[in-house]
Amino acid sequence: CLLQFGTIRTAMSPAPPEVPGHLYSYIANNLWTTNFVARQHGDLLFRYVIQASGALTARGFGAFGQGVRQPLLATVVPAGQQGQLHGATGELLHVSGPGVLVESLRPDEAGGLLVRLRECGGEAAVAEIGVPVGCAEAVLINPAGEPLRGLTLAGGVVHVAMGARALVHVRLGGPR
């Protein structure tokens, strides 16, 4: 899909007038030689997510795109349920790091949390995980859940080194 701003620019003259604020998309490029037939039919669905920002870097746009494509799904916790939060409200988990996103967060069978992080900015980064109250251990695991190595947990924070475009799995909780 090709997206153009203001007008459709083709090889044909005269060019259509510029219309500021309009976006134009080509479903299929039939003006130039391609590897598909010139006439195509069928239903097509377009979805766009647009964000305006003058301050985002390539890493920031990568994180935005990844977050839109694979948003973290929320779970509603009933009122009054006791958990691992400080007081009545708060964060269960806090993750920061340039280009680092939480891709999934789920409980494990031992009462801990399994966290999958993705670096989507294309550069190595260090993810900082603020762990839940009562977390006594952080372990780097493989996708099957097998432990690879322990991570240093100090002051309620774990640092995880991530390569460019890396996918990292961490188990937070008590000893197994």
Side-chain angles (χ1 to χ4, degrees):
C1 174
L2 175 66
L3 181 67
Q4 293 186 330
F5 297 90
T7 188
I8 296 177
R9 292 168 182 85
T10 67
M12 299 176 199
S13 295
E18 183 91 12
V19 183
H22 281 72
L23 301 175
Y24 296 91
S25 292
Y26 293 92
I27 296 172
N29 177 355
N30 292 334
L31 294 176
W32 295 274
T33 303
T34 61
N35 62 350
F36 51 83
V37 296
R39 300 212 186 275
Q40 299 179 29
H41 63 279
D43 295 333
L44 296 172
L45 174 64
F46 276 84
R47 292 189 178 155
Y48 296 95
V49 177
I50 300 171
Q51 175 175 328
S53 174
L56 284 181
T57 62
R59 179 178 269 187
F61 279 117
F64 169 73
Q66 187 71 22
V68 168
R69 285 186 59 225
Q70 296 178 324
L72 185 63
L73 301 177
T75 300
V76 176
V77 177
Q81 181 173 331
Q82 296 299 311
Q84 298 173 314
L85 299 177
H86 300 280
T89 62
E91 291 180 317
L92 175 64
L93 188 76
H94 177 81
V95 176
S96 63
V100 176
L101 295 176
V102 177
E103 192 168 86
S104 78
L105 174 66
R106 64 183 179 88
D108 72 355
E109 61 279 353
L113 292 173
L114 300 175
V115 183
R116 184 169 60 212
L117 305 174
R118 178 179 298 273
E119 195 293 314
C120 59
E123 299 177 29
V126 175
E128 181 178 284
I129 305 172
V131 300
V133 174
C135 179
E137 180 182 66
V139 179
L140 189 66
I141 59 174
N142 68 17
E146 299 162 339
L148 298 175
R149 66 178 170 85
L151 297 169
T152 303
L153 174 59
V157 175
V158 174
H159 292 92
V160 183
M162 300 182 66
R165 309 259 184 240
L167 190 63
V168 174
H169 299 81
V170 177
R171 178 183 300 120
L172 301 173
R176 279 187 163 258

